[in-house]
Amino acid sequence: MRDTVDAPVIQAQDLCLTFTTNDGPVHALKDVTLSIGKGDFVSFIGPSGCGKTTLLRVIADLEQPTAGTITVNGMTPDAARKARAYGYVFQAAGLYPWRTIEGNVTLPLEIMGYSREERQRRAARVLELVELKGFERKFPWQLSGGMQQRASIARALAFDADILLMDEPFGALDEIVRDRLNEEVLKLWARTEKTICFVTHSIPEAVYLSTKIVVMSPRPGRITDIIDSPLPRERPLDIRDSPEFIDIAHRVREGLRAGHIDA
Amino acid sequence: MKSVLPVLTVTLTLIALWYAAVVPMNAQWERDQATRGGYTLTNAELISRTMTQSRPRLPAPHQVVGELWASTWVEERHGRRGWWNTGSLSNRSLVYHGWVTLSATFLGFVIGTGLGVALAVGIVYNRAMDASVMPWAIASQTIPIIALAPMIIVVLNSVGISGLLPKAVIAAYLSFFPVVVGMVKGLRAPDAMQLDQMKTWNASGVQGFLKLRLPSSMPYFFASMKIGIAAALVGTIVGELPVQQGGLGVRLLSGSYFGQTLQIWAALFAAAILAATLVGVVGLIQRVTLRRMGLAP
């Protein structure tokens, strides 16, 4: 495992987020304390309503915490967002149907004011990274769901943020495509050395991908277990049949169950 | 070409029904004439006479087509005041009146569309406008335009505006509404995720508008413009009634003053053809634009 001696990339201390609704307050996050180091691959896993997506959105400055502190790259999430510290991959690919694949990937670059040559250079690089070379001129509807999601990952990578936030990016895809994309995400992570935060509700996906697994439970949304994975960074698909893998998966399942009992 | 047969069938059925209605509508006049003149008509004579009256209650389709032809090509080519002989359009021809209507329609449509888009942008971006504009826009459309048109003409005249603009204002009055409704819907078409995405890129409001909201609204925009341009034509025709300076509306009105049913029907068809053409042109621009945007196959 790589060391995480450097200052943490994401640091949350007693983070709370309460939504006020007509039925009273909803504690989406309660006393979340978490430290994510540079180059970590962190999965957030838990049943729906456990606040995993909310936590990711707080990191991305899409939600405001009601108590506690959080820093991203040593800054407030707001400053980090404005410094374009992260790329965010949503559940749906959300490609613009009126733009080609290349046009979609260069969209954030246009917004950030990169020159045309630079945009094309970067688009070519990230599209190669997600193995979509040759599809630059296609429109999204001409691509399969898995390819669209790869394009959306390329778009999040295009402006070279150190952090990649992924919110159930493969949730809508079938298992075969999902396995392939999981493998590719690992390769991508190894090549780019980014810090990745990955929301999922699949135990095998979380265990297969992560160096750190954050198990969460609902009502109130909180962390019940943080597991540092002993698996090597290099992970072939069949590592999922190894005893270590099964051990971690078991611990994750226990954590999820425990959270469920006291809820 | 699969669509040709059903369209043709419906058209032929309508024409047949029309011819069938012509006989009973116009027969009474022929019978009265026969009684007055002291002669009798066979059924065949009666039927053929109902289709050749000069001022029938209901003109036959071929009479309307004949009148359309006579008041366009024949008038301009051979007429004393026609374009062929004088170099300017004859004020007795539907080409001239169609042009008068078209120019006011077009100007009104441009004003209405611009106003509609501006209001929609205001509604989407300004909370106060969001809460206040739409009820007024809806209320504006509940007032019969036929009642409002003379007042608009009079008010504008009293401040020295006459001619094309008052009619265009009435056309704009009808055509801005579908554009507002469609564009508000269109500019709000991006979902929460797409808006969040823009935020993660720290995009400015202008960038969010130009790169996300505006392109998202294009299908809605074109659908609204199709309704808007047809509404503008109706508005122009209504506006022409009190102005009385040419146009298809004037032809309709003078036709009804003098019982010239052929003239009324010809003007009606000219207006219908004009509307269909305008909607068709907008549809064509829509197809080309959306295809170039990759939004239509």
Side-chain angles (χ1 to χ4, degrees):
Chain A
M1 264 184 84
R2 193 164 306 194
D3 59 19
T4 49
V5 182
D6 310 325
V9 172
I10 296 164
Q11 175 83 52
Q13 190 70 46
D14 301 322
L15 202 65
C16 293
L17 198 159
T18 310
F19 294 110
T20 34
T21 69
N22 291 334
D23 306 330
V26 172
H27 300 283
L29 290 176
K30 188 148 177 60
D31 298 330
V32 169
T33 297
L34 180 70
S35 175
I36 296 170
K38 188 164 167 47
D40 271 353
F41 196 126
V42 184
S43 283
F44 300 93
I45 187 165
S48 42
C50 71
K52 52 192 194 297
T53 294
T54 308
L55 180 53
L56 205 68
R57 289 174 63 84
V58 169
I59 296 171
D61 188 39
L62 296 174
E63 306 281 356
Q64 306 308 318
T66 42
T69 57
I70 179 165
T71 59
V72 177
N73 278 350
M75 297 176 261
T76 63
D78 177 59
R81 176 175 65 82
K82 286 177 178 152
R84 278 121 185 189
Y86 66 84
Y88 200 110
V89 181
F90 289 85
Q91 265 171 31
L95 301 173
Y96 290 10
W98 57 87
R99 281 175 171 255
T100 61
I101 295 304
E102 187 185 39
N104 269 288
V105 171
T106 55
L107 173 65
L109 303 175
E110 274 172 40
I111 287 169
M112 295 170 195
Y114 287 87
S115 72
R116 176 180 288 272
E117 298 76 55
E118 182 67 8
R119 294 201 299 259
Q120 279 170 349
R121 204 180 59 73
R122 281 170 177 256
R125 201 197 66 212
V126 291
L127 282 173
E128 198 186 346
L129 216 54
V130 298
E131 295 178 16
L132 276 179
K133 201 177 156 134
F135 291 90
E136 292 86 351
R137 301 263 162 267
K138 298 274 189 232
F139 281 101
W141 56 270
Q142 295 171 300
L143 268 59
S144 69
M147 288 163 98
Q148 289 186 23
Q149 197 52 278
R150 287 212 301 249
S152 100
I153 294 172
R155 182 179 54 186
L157 291 171
F159 49 96
D160 252 339
D162 295 334
I163 306 169
L164 194 56
L165 306 176
M166 304 174 93
D167 182 8
E168 291 189 49
F170 310 137
L173 304 175
D174 67 66
E175 200 156 334
I176 301 162
V177 177
R178 204 173 177 154
D179 276 352
R180 264 255 314 288
L181 290 178
N182 281 342
E183 246 187 312
E184 284 180 14
V185 166
L186 274 185
K187 265 194 244 160
L188 201 78
W189 174 57
R191 279 177 68 180
T192 57
E193 302 186 337
K194 293 198 186 300
T195 308
I196 300 184
C197 296
F198 192 97
V199 167
T200 179
H201 48 225
S202 154
I203 297 173
E205 193 171 67
V207 179
Y208 177 63
L209 293 172
S210 320
T211 57
K212 191 195 278 281
I213 302 161
V214 178
V215 183
M216 299 181 72
S217 74
R219 287 175 298 274
R222 66 199 185 281
I223 294 175
T224 48
D225 197 5
I226 296 177
I227 304 163
D228 283 309
S229 172
L231 296 177
R233 283 175 83 90
E234 196 73 25
R235 297 172 187 185
L237 266 180
D238 54 21
I239 203 169
R240 293 185 295 186
D241 300 320
S242 70
E244 294 93 335
F245 188 96
I246 291 162
D247 273 353
I248 306 165
H250 182 75
R251 195 176 147 190
V252 173
R253 199 168 291 116
E254 289 296 306
L256 289 172
R257 191 172 298 154
H260 218 73
I261 286 163
D262 37 77
Chain B
M1 285 289 107
K2 255 191 301 184
S3 61
V4 170
L5 194 63
V7 170
L8 208 62
T9 312
V10 170
T11 311
L12 288 176
T13 310
L14 285 176
I15 291 175
L17 282 172
W18 187 351
Y19 269 113
V22 166
V23 178
M25 288 291 283
N26 300 333
Q28 192 56 47
W29 192 80
E30 290 299 338
R31 286 202 199 95
D32 291 348
Q33 286 296 100
T35 318
R36 222 168 284 155
Y39 56 89
T40 52
L41 288 167
T42 65
N43 277 343
E45 279 174 336
L46 180 68
I47 290 171
S48 80
R49 282 182 182 216
T50 56
M51 303 205 180
T52 52
Q53 296 175 359
S54 63
R55 289 161 73 171
R57 273 194 199 166
L58 177 64
H62 67 265
Q63 288 182 288
V64 175
V65 172
E67 173 69 14
L68 270 174
W69 179 252
S71 57
T72 51
W73 173 256
V74 176
E75 176 66 24
E76 295 297 352
R77 173 64 182 85
H78 303 292
R80 190 168 51 80
R81 284 177 280 191
W83 183 77
W84 197 269
N85 288 327
T86 63
S88 61
L89 291 171
S90 162
N91 66 355
R92 292 162 57 101
S93 91
L94 284 176
V95 182
Y96 166 76
H97 292 286
W99 169 249
V100 170
T101 300
L102 179 66
S103 49
T105 300
F106 192 71
L107 182 61
F109 171 68
V110 170
I111 297 171
T113 304
L115 182 68
V117 171
L119 283 176
V121 171
I123 287 171
V124 170
Y125 279 95
N126 185 295
R127 194 180 291 267
M129 279 184 78
D130 185 18
S132 61
V133 171
M134 207 41 121
W136 285 104
I138 293 166
S140 77
Q141 301 302 300
T142 62
I143 303 166
I145 189 69
I146 194 87
L148 205 60
M151 291 195 275
I152 294 176
I153 304 281
V154 169
V155 167
L156 288 179
N157 247 317
S158 70
V159 295
I161 298 169
S162 61
L164 189 63
L165 200 57
K167 293 184 283 183
V169 166
I170 294 162
Y173 186 90
L174 285 193
S175 70
F176 88 95
F177 183 68
V179 177
V180 174
V181 175
M183 278 306 277
V184 167
K185 183 107 179 125
L187 291 174
R188 286 191 174 144
D191 56 28
M193 191 202 83
Q194 287 177 305
L195 296 172
D196 278 345
Q197 203 172 46
M198 275 286 168
K199 195 177 172 194
T200 68
W201 299 326
N202 195 23
S204 69
V206 175
Q207 286 172 329
F209 179 74
L210 291 179
K211 296 199 188 292
L212 176 59
R213 286 193 194 267
L214 201 58
S216 297
S217 72
M218 281 302 118
Y220 299 84
F221 183 49
F222 281 107
S224 323
M225 282 202 297
K226 277 186 183 172
I227 307 170
I229 200 157
L233 183 76
V234 172
T236 303
I237 288 174
V238 171
E240 283 164 353
L241 302 180
V243 173
Q244 290 291 330
Q245 282 167 355
L248 295 174
V250 170
R251 291 289 283 186
L252 285 170
L253 198 63
S254 68
S256 74
Y257 277 158
F258 301 110
Q260 295 289 349
T261 44
L262 276 175
Q263 185 186 322
I264 299 175
W265 279 83
L268 268 181
F269 269 78
I273 292 165
L274 196 57
T277 310
L278 290 172
V279 173
V281 168
V282 175
L284 201 68
I285 299 170
Q286 173 182 32
R287 281 242 311 263
V288 172
T289 311
L290 295 189
R291 190 173 297 173
R292 284 192 58 179
M293 284 175 75
L295 289 177

